[in-house]
């Protein structure tokens, strides 16, 4: 929990305006949104398309599937559920006008940790790199 708060403080202080996702299929730049608490959020639609995943909203929960692994986010609460285990986040997933926004922490920390052989995040360049993509 402390590590998540420190990451949020570091990202929040120097939040990029956008991130780049680099994959073997090419690169895509995604503009970020800042929530009322000052935390950077990533729209899930371009992230989903770039990662060939899926998003499903059901009631107050959102499920984001990446590489056939589901991550469940309660809307408005700062945690997610992965492998039936809740994990703290520095900010929460938010649904605004039919668009699901995920905390930047999901891209910068959770994806590389969950798929270490597939993704790495370069904070200085605000860039998520998929294995096999040009650096």
């Amino acid at each position: 929990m402390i590590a998540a708060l420190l990451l949020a403080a570091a990202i929040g202080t120097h939040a990029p305006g956008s991130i780049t996702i680099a994959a073997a299929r090419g690169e895509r730049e995604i503009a970020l949104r800042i929530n009322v608490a000052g935390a950077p959020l990533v729209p899930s639609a371009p992230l989903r398309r770039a990662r060939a995943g899926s998003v499903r909203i059901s009631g107050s929960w959102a499920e984001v599937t990446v590489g056939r692994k589901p991550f469940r986010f309660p809307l408005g609460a700062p945690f997610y559920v992965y492998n039936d285990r809740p994990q703290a986040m520095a900010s929460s997933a938010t649904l605004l006008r039919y668009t699901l926004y995920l905390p930047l922490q999901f891209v910068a920390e959770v994806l590389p940790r969950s798929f270490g052989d597939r993704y790495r995040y370069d904070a200085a360049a605000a860039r998520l790199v998929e294995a096999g993509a040009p650096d």
Side-chain angles (χ1 to χ4, degrees):
M1 179 67 170
I2 292 173
L5 292 174
L6 290 173
L7 176 68
I11 289 174
T13 304
H14 306 302
S18 64
I19 61 169
T20 299
I21 297 178
R25 302 176 293 288
E27 290 189 7
R28 181 176 182 118
E29 187 173 357
I30 300 172
L32 300 182
R33 180 181 189 105
I34 304 299
N35 69 11
V36 295
L41 301 173
V42 180
S44 65
L47 180 65
R48 175 183 46 84
R49 284 191 297 272
R51 302 283 50 90
S54 66
V55 173
R56 186 173 53 112
I57 309 290
S58 179
S60 62
W61 285 82
E63 183 172 283
V64 176
T65 302
V66 178
R68 291 182 283 203
K69 294 185 180 183
F71 296 84
R72 296 188 66 227
F73 296 87
L75 299 174
F79 71 94
Y80 68 97
V81 178
Y82 179 65
N83 287 336
D84 295 325
R85 301 178 80 192
Q87 304 289 325
M89 296 281 287
S91 64
S92 60
T94 304
L95 187 62
L96 298 170
R97 293 191 180 149
Y98 308 109
T99 299
L100 175 67
Y101 288 88
L102 301 171
L104 177 58
Q105 182 182 7
F106 181 71
V107 173
E109 183 182 307
V110 176
L111 287 179
R113 184 177 60 232
S114 299
F115 301 94
D117 58 331
R118 188 169 176 190
Y119 302 112
R120 70 177 170 74
Y121 185 75
D122 178 349
R127 182 178 166 96
L128 179 70
V129 179
E130 183 177 21
D135 281 327

